[in-house]
């Protein structure tokens, strides 16, 4: 008897090995069938070794395996097969045994269902916990990155990368539009993601090979200027008015995300996005900070065509809220910075800004010449005494416009103080600077200013002093201004309305 049990164990082990081997060769249904057949073979081996002494009990194993593999149908069929085996091989046809098998199959099915449901629920909560943990990690990294900058462009790249990166929220593409100062329209600012599936897979392969994490991707977006060029060309051409009931307007008014699964032919803005970006399903998020509408975030999946779920939308909401606050703070900081660096009357940069820019360009003076033009209005005290300071302010504003229109894009104009202005000309020789100064002088002379005819020369004029680093020995940046100031003094002494260098 002991030898027979040893043989049964050996045969069982062999059967397990064979079953486990074939488990990796076929599909799920084949594997289940093979396992059921193997349990039936075990029943026959037991019958041959023990003359069907324990067959009734071994058949219970066959029934249990069948129920686990094929649920209630497997239980019914296996119970019937078990009854047939008992009748054919033992000659037993007791209905009580058949009923016991059916009851056992039902019990196994209930237990299997209970275990399966418990496992499903456990997996659900584990997945939810994992996803929440991932989102918290994303928010932590993004929040840290946002706190490191007050530069709007870098901030937007951080937001977009966190939404689209695999280590982030995992959408294929994201676009940000911001509301203008008047609140009348949305302008496309930046986007990230592919325009085609082929482009998307190429990017994913590159990221996978490089093994980037979220912070790596954010830094990579900063350094690689050529990324998403085609997408951003189209995004930056977007201007969507908010005086018509399009899908963007509805999102901002409702202050809740909008999930769009089909393109409404009556919504011109939505049709534009569908045509320009090949969008079919998208989620739209309002960017609102403390009741102030900042802009819109749009996400979609043009590459893997993954449906946008309610859970995916919920995962973006905290990030969208955080992004709105950060964008609003950055804009406010930019306005405050502009106020600190710009003259409130003429909107030109002020002397503080001039000193900063001068120092920046001063370091390159040996590679290319740096020139400056100092400008002063002739007889301006006489103008104010005759016409009043309010009209004098109008003249300053108009003169600033004339100066700006007279210089090239690379040149910078500043209000130096009072009635004095200064123009900084990078990579410009003294000779070229004199030509620019003469152009400014002539344009001012030919411009009609209010009450200009009351000036001693019969019109408003200016005197200009020019200086350049070409002939300078000094290593002090502001000495360039002193040289221009002395030239300006000589222009005044020479009769005004002149350019002197």
């Amino acid at each position: 008897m002991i030898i027979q049990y040893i043989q049964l164990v050996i045969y069982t082990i062999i059967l397990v090995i064979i079953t486990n081997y074939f488990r990796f060769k076929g599909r799920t249904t084949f594997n289940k069938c093979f396992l059921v057949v193997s349990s039936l073979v075990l029943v026959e081996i037991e019958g041959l070794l023990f003359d069907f002494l324990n067959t009734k009990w071994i058949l219970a194993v066959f029934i249990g395996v069948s129920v686990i593999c094929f649920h209630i149908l497997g239980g019914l069929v296996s119970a019937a097969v078990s009854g047939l085996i008992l009748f054919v091989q033992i000659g037993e046809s007791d209905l009580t045994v058949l009923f016991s098998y059916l009851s056992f199959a039902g019990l196994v099915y209930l237990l299997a269902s209970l275990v399966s449901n418990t496992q499903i629920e456990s997996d659900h909560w584990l997945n939810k916990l994992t996803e929440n943990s991932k989102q918290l990690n994303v928010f932590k990294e993004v929040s840290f990155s946002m706190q490191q900058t007050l530069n709007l462009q870098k901030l937007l790249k951080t937001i977009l990368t966190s939404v689209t990166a695999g280590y982030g929220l995992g959408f294929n593409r994201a676009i940000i539009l911001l509301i203008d100062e008047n609140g009348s329209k949305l302008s496309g600012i930046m986007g990230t993601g592919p325009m085609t599936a082929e482009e998307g897979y190429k990017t994913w392969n590159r990221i996978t090979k490089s093994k980037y994490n979220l912070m790596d991707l954010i830094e990579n977006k900063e350094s690689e200027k050529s990324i998403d060029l085609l997408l951003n060309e189209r995004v930056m051409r977007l201007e969507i008015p908010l005086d018509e009931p399009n899908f963007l307007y509805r999102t901002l008014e409702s202050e809740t995300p909008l999930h769009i699964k089909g393109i409404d032919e009556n919504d011109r803005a939505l049709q534009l996005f569908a045509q320009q970006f090949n969008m079919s399903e998208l989620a739209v998020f309002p960017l609102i900070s403390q009741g102030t509408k900042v802009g819109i975030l749009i996400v979609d999946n043009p590459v893997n065509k993954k449906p946008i779920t309610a859970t995916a939308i919920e995962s973006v909401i905290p990030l969208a809220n955080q992004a709105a606050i950060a964008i609003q703070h950055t804009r406010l900081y930019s306005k405050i910075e502009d106020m600190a660096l710009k003259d409130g009357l003429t909107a030109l940069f002020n002397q503080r800004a001039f000193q900063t820019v001068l120092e920046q360009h001063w370091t390159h003076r040996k590679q290319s010449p740096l020139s400056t033009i100092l400008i002063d209005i002739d007889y301006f005290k006489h103008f104010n005494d005759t016409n009043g300071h309010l009209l004098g302010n109008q003249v300053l504003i108009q003169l600033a416009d004339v100066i700006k229109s007279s210089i090239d894009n690379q040149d910078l104009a500043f209000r130096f103080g009072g009635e004095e202005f200064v123009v900084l000309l990078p990579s410009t020789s003294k000779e070229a600077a004199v030509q620019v100064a003469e152009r400014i002088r002539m344009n001012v002379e030919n411009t009609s200013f209010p009450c200009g005819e009351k000036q001693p020369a019969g019109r408003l004029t200016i005197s200009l002093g020019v200086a350049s680093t070409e002939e300078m020995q000094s290593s002090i940046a502001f000495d360039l201004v002193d040289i221009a100031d002395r030239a300006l003094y000589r222009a005044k002494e020479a009769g005004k309305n002149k350019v002197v260098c």
Side-chain angles (χ1 to χ4, degrees):
M1 183 69 72
I2 295 176
I3 294 174
Q4 290 171 319
Y5 276 116
I6 293 173
Q7 287 178 322
L8 179 62
V9 171
I10 293 172
Y11 288 140
T12 302
I13 293 172
I14 293 172
L15 194 60
V16 168
I17 293 171
I18 294 172
T19 303
N20 196 56
Y21 172 79
F22 281 102
R23 183 168 67 89
F24 297 100
K25 300 296 181 181
R27 296 182 179 180
T28 303
T29 303
F30 171 81
N31 293 338
K32 289 180 179 180
C33 291
F34 197 86
L35 183 60
V36 170
V37 171
S38 297
S39 66
L40 193 58
V41 170
L42 183 62
V43 172
E44 292 302 314
I45 291 173
E46 184 277 333
L48 293 173
L49 290 175
F50 295 97
D51 196 22
F52 299 101
L53 179 64
N54 301 307
T55 300
K56 290 182 180 179
W57 302 106
I58 298 296
L59 282 171
V61 175
F62 165 61
I63 293 170
V65 170
S66 299
V67 171
I68 291 171
C69 290
F70 297 102
H71 308 300
I72 195 66
L73 179 62
L76 294 173
V77 173
S78 62
V81 171
S82 297
L84 184 62
I85 290 173
L86 288 178
F87 177 73
V88 172
Q89 296 187 337
I90 303 178
E92 185 173 328
S93 59
D94 189 354
L95 291 177
T96 305
V97 175
L98 181 60
F99 178 76
S100 299
Y101 283 157
L102 289 171
S103 300
F104 177 72
L107 180 62
V108 172
Y109 175 73
L110 291 174
L111 290 173
S113 297
L114 180 62
V115 171
S116 177
N117 290 336
T118 303
Q119 185 63 45
I120 290 171
E121 187 174 355
S122 176
D123 290 344
H124 168 74
W125 287 110
L126 180 61
N127 290 336
K128 203 170 185 64
L129 184 63
T130 303
E131 189 64 29
N132 288 342
S133 176
K134 176 184 174 182
Q135 290 173 17
L136 285 172
N137 188 54
V138 170
F139 297 149
K140 182 188 75 173
E141 292 190 29
V142 172
S143 178
F144 175 78
S145 185
M146 284 180 180
Q147 291 170 10
Q148 302 307 303
T149 182
L150 284 167
N151 178 282
L152 183 60
Q153 294 295 310
K154 185 176 180 180
L155 177 65
L156 294 177
K157 286 178 182 177
T158 299
I159 296 165
L160 291 170
T161 303
S162 65
V163 172
T164 55
Y167 288 101
L169 300 183
F171 288 92
N172 295 171
R173 183 168 59 186
I175 295 171
I176 286 180
L177 300 92
L178 297 182
I179 297 176
D180 66 351
E181 291 186 358
N182 300 324
S184 60
K185 66 179 180 180
L186 280 161
S187 298
I189 304 298
M190 189 182 294
T192 189
M195 288 295 293
T196 64
E198 182 182 0
E199 182 187 343
Y201 287 123
K202 190 182 295 184
T203 302
W204 286 348
N205 288 334
R206 178 172 57 83
I207 291 171
T208 302
K209 288 178 182 177
S210 302
K211 297 181 179 179
Y212 290 140
N213 60 29
L214 181 57
M215 296 307 293
D216 292 333
L217 287 170
I218 291 172
E219 292 174 8
N220 192 47
K221 286 284 183 181
E222 277 297 298
S223 59
E224 295 190 29
K225 305 297 182 184
S226 61
I227 291 178
D228 307 322
L229 275 179
L230 179 58
L231 174 67
N232 278 294
E233 281 178 8
R234 297 190 181 185
V235 167
M236 287 188 285
R237 288 200 298 262
L238 292 173
E239 286 194 356
I240 311 297
L242 292 175
D243 57 357
E244 56 183 51
N246 54 56
F247 75 106
L248 300 173
Y249 172 83
R250 293 199 306 273
T251 302
L252 287 170
E253 287 302 303
S254 66
E255 299 186 3
T256 56
L258 180 62
H259 184 193
I260 299 173
K261 297 182 180 180
I263 305 303
D264 183 358
E265 295 181 358
N266 297 319
D267 191 327
R268 288 187 299 175
L270 186 55
Q271 282 189 318
L272 175 65
F273 275 84
Q275 293 165 2
Q276 290 290 319
F277 306 104
N278 194 28
M279 289 183 170
S280 55
E281 182 185 14
L282 57 149
V284 190
F285 299 86
L287 301 178
I288 299 175
S289 173
Q290 297 178 334
T292 301
K293 296 178 176 67
V294 177
I296 287 286
L297 169 67
I298 300 174
V299 299
D300 71 332
N301 292 320
V303 179
N304 59 17
K305 304 296 182 183
K306 183 179 179 181
I308 299 174
T309 63
T311 302
I313 290 174
E314 288 176 6
S315 70
V316 180
I317 293 174
L319 181 61
N321 293 337
Q322 190 179 21
I325 295 169
I327 291 171
Q328 184 69 354
H329 284 179
T330 301
R331 280 180 147 186
L332 289 173
Y333 175 81
S334 181
K335 286 182 180 179
I336 293 170
E337 193 175 47
D338 280 349
M339 290 171 64
L341 297 176
K342 281 191 175 181
D343 175 52
L345 180 65
T346 63
L348 293 178
F349 287 109
N350 58 22
Q351 185 177 155
R352 177 185 170 190
F354 170 73
Q355 291 172 350
T356 302
V357 176
L358 175 62
E359 291 290 346
Q360 291 171 352
H361 287 285
W362 183 255
T363 57
H364 305 293
R365 69 189 184 281
K366 292 182 179 179
Q367 287 78 29
S368 59
L370 177 67
S371 298
T372 188
I373 303 170
L374 198 60
I375 304 167
D376 186 80
I377 301 175
D378 297 330
Y379 303 110
F380 194 59
K381 183 178 184 304
H382 172 271
F383 185 95
N384 281 334
D385 292 343
T386 304
N387 306 295
H389 287 277
L390 288 178
L391 201 60
N393 286 343
Q394 291 184 28
V395 166
L396 291 172
I397 294 170
Q398 189 175 355
L399 177 59
D401 292 337
V402 173
I403 293 172
K404 282 191 293 184
S405 65
S406 303
I407 61 178
D408 295 333
N409 290 333
Q410 68 169 5
D411 302 331
L412 300 166
F414 305 82
R415 186 181 179 193
F416 202 61
E419 70 272 22
E420 285 191 328
F421 296 81
V422 63
V423 177
L424 194 64
L425 302 99
S427 305
T428 304
S429 64
K430 179 189 281 188
E431 183 181 354
V434 169
Q435 293 176 0
V436 174
E438 184 60 30
R439 183 165 68 242
I440 295 171
R441 188 197 66 77
M442 289 180 62
N443 288 343
V444 171
E445 188 177 40
N446 295 328
T447 299
S448 176
F449 288 89
C451 297
E453 68 279 1
K454 296 180 181 180
Q455 288 291 85
R459 59 185 178 274
L460 189 85
T461 60
I462 57 173
S463 297
L464 305 92
V466 178
S468 175
T469 58
E470 288 177 311
E471 301 171 1
M472 280 185 64
Q473 300 299 322
S474 174
S475 60
I476 301 172
F478 212 76
D479 284 350
L480 182 66
V481 180
D482 287 338
I483 295 172
D485 189 46
R486 289 197 292 273
L488 173 62
Y489 178 78
R490 293 197 299 273
K492 294 282 189 182
E493 288 292 307
K496 302 180 176 62
N497 192 24
K498 296 183 183 299
V499 175
V500 173
C501 60

